[in-house]
Amino acid sequence: MPELPEVETTRQGIAPHCEGQTIRQVVVRNPRLRWPVPDDLPQQLEGQTIRTVERRAKYLFLHLDTGSVIVHLGMSGSLRVITDDSAPMRHDHVEIFLDNHRSLRFNDPRRFGCWLWTTDWSQHPLISQLGPEPLSDDFNGAWLFRLSRQKQTPIKSFIMDNHVVVGVGNIYANEALFKAGIHPKRKAGRISLDRYHRLADAIRETLQAAILMGGTTLRDFVNSEGKPGYFAQSLLVYGKGGTLCPDCNTSLKDIRMNNRSTVYCPRCQR
DNA sequence: AAGGATTCCTGTTGGC
DNA sequence: TGCCAACAGGAATCCT
């Protein structure tokens, strides 16, 4: 599933093929995504030139002169540049045909993704409330500490909240909390500034590692060469409930929080 | 109002 | 071995 590193990888992959290209045609094969693809999306886009492709959190933007397309890959979405005349496959819901005889094809089996149109992307309700990028200077322990005062919510829910920081999915939350030695159920408001510094570092390191490994975090991901994803091999606790803690050999606990798989070491994480 | 629960969806997995 | 329920997860939205 696309985590923030995969979305950035996607942006880098498609941008050179899209930027500066004029849109010839937009085909919506199935508009029933997370929200319905707007009926007028094709006519908003056709004839316009894609100026830039940008990423914010896990959202991608195709910036045109009159507005922007907001794309989210959801759980199972992918964007590919098509260079031949290969026929669309199952779940290829949206396709943008460009002047360079290439196209941008969106595939999303679970349809948690979205394609929306906005004339003012930064003020869009999905975007305007987002927290800082985890790899930016705006994100640090002091920010987490300040935002978390009086908060009763568990720390794991807190760091997975997009208003706090973007891009921390369930896998990263588990890994970062283990690295920082913080129990996932600890109340966010009851963590010291020092420990928040450690946590912010852990979040940054975990995301950075995933990016360096090629942005492959899906545990069963197999690339085109049939090799498993590299980041999966460096997971410390996620998916390892019942096995022994790499630091203290205590059996890792596997519980459910907010209906999400949560793994931690009951001895190392307090 | 904050925080927990539910919801969307389909491919994969695990238990019997 | 085969079938089917459970599971997976981003994040808005609903509910308490």
Side-chain angles (χ1 to χ4, degrees), chain A residues 11-150:
Chain A
R11 189 197 69 76
Q12 291 173 18
I14 67 173
H17 300 277
C18 297
E19 290 178 350
Q21 293 298 319
T22 299
I23 296 170
R24 277 196 301 143
Q25 191 190 7
V26 176
V27 174
V28 179
R29 300 192 179 88
N30 184 355
R32 293 176 304 161
L33 303 182
R34 176 74 161 83
W35 297 280
V37 178
D39 289 336
D40 64 347
L41 188 78
Q43 61 189 89
Q44 294 285 1
L45 305 193
E46 285 168 8
Q48 289 213 64
T49 300
I50 299 175
R51 298 302 177 188
T52 55
V53 181
E54 187 189 6
R55 177 192 66 75
R56 172 81 172 91
K58 295 180 185 173
Y59 294 92
L60 287 171
F61 306 97
L62 306 180
H63 292 303
L64 314 182
D65 289 328
T66 60
S68 308
V69 184
I70 304 176
V71 178
H72 197 290
L73 302 180
M75 291 291 312
S76 57
S78 64
L79 273 177
R80 280 196 308 146
V81 174
I82 305 296
T83 58
D84 56 20
D85 59 353
S86 63
M89 310 268 286
R90 188 162 151 79
H91 306 307
D92 281 341
H93 305 312
V94 183
E95 187 157 1
I96 291 186
F97 293 89
L98 305 169
D99 250 2
N100 58 2
H101 298 286
R102 288 164 195 250
S103 68
L104 200 55
R105 192 178 280 178
F106 176 73
N107 182 285
D108 186 9
R110 285 178 227 184
R111 291 194 275 121
F112 280 15
C114 70
W115 278 66
L116 298 172
W117 172 253
T118 176
T119 54
D120 191 357
W121 67 273
S122 70
Q123 294 308 306
H124 193 280
L126 290 176
I127 307 302
S128 62
Q129 306 292 320
L130 290 174
E133 292 285 325
L135 299 180
S136 75
D137 293 340
D138 293 344
F139 174 69
N140 52 46
W143 164 260
L144 289 178
F145 181 75
R146 185 148 42 87
L147 226 67
S148 62
R149 294 308 86 188
Q150 322 287 39

